[in-house]
Amino acid sequence: MAKKILIGVGALLLIMIVFLPELSRLAAIQAFSHKEAGWSQPLAKNAAMLNMRFWRYGGAGGIYKRSIELWPAADWIGDAHYNLALCYEKAKMTKDAVAAYDVFMARYPQH
């Protein structure tokens, strides 16, 4: 019985790991549509970070790019610019990565 429970818990964890980045991306889309809500920025930021941790650089880059557009004055947007460039680099989008790093260095030379 304990073996079956352990297998069930393991399967549930595996399913959560597989679908968690996609669910967080969908949550970020909701955050973008409620950009004035107090929960929207932290949700988008955490969704992007989660996607990066699961090597989903395309999804994370899209979230960072949209966040930069919606909240250019947010206190975490400097990190978002850097992480956007890093996502492009990891996704082998060299030209986009260089351009994003240039923007980051121009806007945040002391970062």
Side-chain angles (χ1 to χ4, degrees), residues 29-70:
I29 291 170
Q30 285 298 310
F32 298 149
S33 65
H34 297 89
K35 66 180 183 174
E36 301 300 324
W39 52 265
S40 60
Q41 286 188 45
L43 181 59
K45 178 183 176 184
N46 290 332
M49 289 173 24
L50 183 84
N51 274 267
M52 284 186 74
R53 288 202 172 99
F54 281 92
W55 306 285
R56 305 259 176 110
Y57 298 110
I63 296 168
Y64 282 126
K65 185 175 180 180
R66 185 72 176 132
S67 296
I68 291 166
E69 294 168 356
L70 290 178

Side-chain angles (χ1 to χ4, degrees), residues 18-110:
V18 169
F19 290 107
L20 193 58
E22 184 61 23
L23 291 173
S24 70
R25 191 185 66 77
L26 294 173
I29 291 170
Q30 285 298 310
F32 298 149
S33 65
H34 297 89
K35 66 180 183 174
E36 301 300 324
W39 52 265
S40 60
Q41 286 188 45
L43 181 59
K45 178 183 176 184
N46 290 332
M49 289 173 24
L50 183 84
N51 274 267
M52 284 186 74
R53 288 202 172 99
F54 281 92
W55 306 285
R56 305 259 176 110
Y57 298 110
I63 296 168
Y64 282 126
K65 185 175 180 180
R66 185 72 176 132
S67 296
I68 291 166
E69 294 168 356
L70 290 178
W71 304 295
D75 61 347
W76 60 278
I77 290 298
D79 292 335
H81 276 280
Y82 175 79
N83 286 330
L84 175 61
L86 184 60
C87 286
Y88 286 150
E89 180 183 350
K90 297 286 188 180
K92 308 280 190 247
M93 300 170 67
T94 307
K95 289 181 182 179
D96 292 327
V98 170
Y101 279 125
D102 287 342
V103 168
F104 171 72
M105 293 303 296
R107 291 189 182 168
Y108 306 96
Q110 302 299 323

